Amino acid sequence: MRNIIVLGAIALTAACGGETAADKPLAAVFNADLMKGDAKVGTATLTQSGTGAAMSVKVDGLVTGTYGMHIHETGKCEGPDYKSAGAHWNPGTKQHGLQNPAGTHGGDLENLVATNGQASRIERQLAGFTLSGEGGLMDADGAAFIIHALPDDNKTDPSGNSGDRMICGVFGAG
């Protein structure tokens, strides 16, 4: 009897032209726990949003200053230097820097400004940013989010003179 009711509901939905929850695409959401050594110091989230992505970052414990942030091509955070995260995500094979006239890496982001003793937060829309599927960030080896020790000058290739990698998180499904 339950099967007849379920089939009847499906037929009624189809006849009315309505969408079921199964017809609607799920939003791609990827989260990263941000680590400094063995300590979790924050989170980063990427959510597919139309023709781009929404990014949200929260970090605790940074001293007052400006820090470069980038999305790196490999989802691996082996300390202490986090070089395992590879280079910046760069699907278009461009130059580094948001102010570079030759283009920008896909993983180039604005700097994070921190105030001592307060949680640092940033919310951004990333236009033209694809998280999954063809040309998307999340390939077989994932991706990493890095916060550097210095500000990014937004023009010097390959990393904007942003210094050592000091915080790292691996993006995984949310």
Side-chain angles (χ1 to χ4, degrees):
M1 182 68 171
R2 186 168 40 133
N3 290 342
I4 294 171
I5 293 170
V6 170
L7 289 174
I10 292 171
L12 181 59
T13 301
C16 294
E19 284 186 296
T20 66
D23 295 329
K24 296 180 183 178
L26 298 175
V29 177
F30 300 96
N31 297 304
D33 287 337
L34 302 181
M35 306 297 290
K36 186 172 187 178
D38 291 333
K40 180 179 173 186
V41 295
T43 57
T45 302
L46 289 170
T47 306
Q48 194 68 56
S49 175
T51 59
M55 181 184 73
S56 173
V57 178
K58 179 186 174 277
V59 184
D60 292 315
L62 293 175
V63 297
T64 298
T66 303
Y67 301 89
M69 310 185 297
H70 305 108
I71 297 173
H72 287 248
E73 64 188 357
T74 305
K76 194 179 283 189
C77 288
E78 295 172 350
D81 62 8
Y82 304 123
K83 299 279 186 191
S84 59
H88 296 175
W89 181 56
N90 190 9
T93 319
K94 304 280 184 165
Q95 296 288 313
H96 172 79
L98 297 175
Q99 298 172 8
N100 192 322
T104 182
H105 296 158
D108 290 346
L109 302 169
E110 294 176 22
N111 287 319
L112 175 69
V113 178
T115 303
N116 200 22
Q118 298 180 11
S120 302
R121 297 175 188 268
I122 190 167
E123 304 277 334
R124 293 285 184 269
Q125 286 299 121
L126 307 171
F129 205 93
T130 303
L131 297 180
S132 55
E134 177 112 13
L137 172 67
M138 297 303 292
D139 59 10
D141 63 8
F145 182 85
I146 298 281
I147 296 177
H148 292 265
L150 300 172
D152 185 334
D153 68 16
N154 287 308
K155 54 188 172 206
T156 305
D157 207 37
S159 64
N161 292 322
S162 53
D164 292 338
R165 301 169 184 198
M166 64 178 207
I167 295 173
C168 187
V170 175
F171 284 111

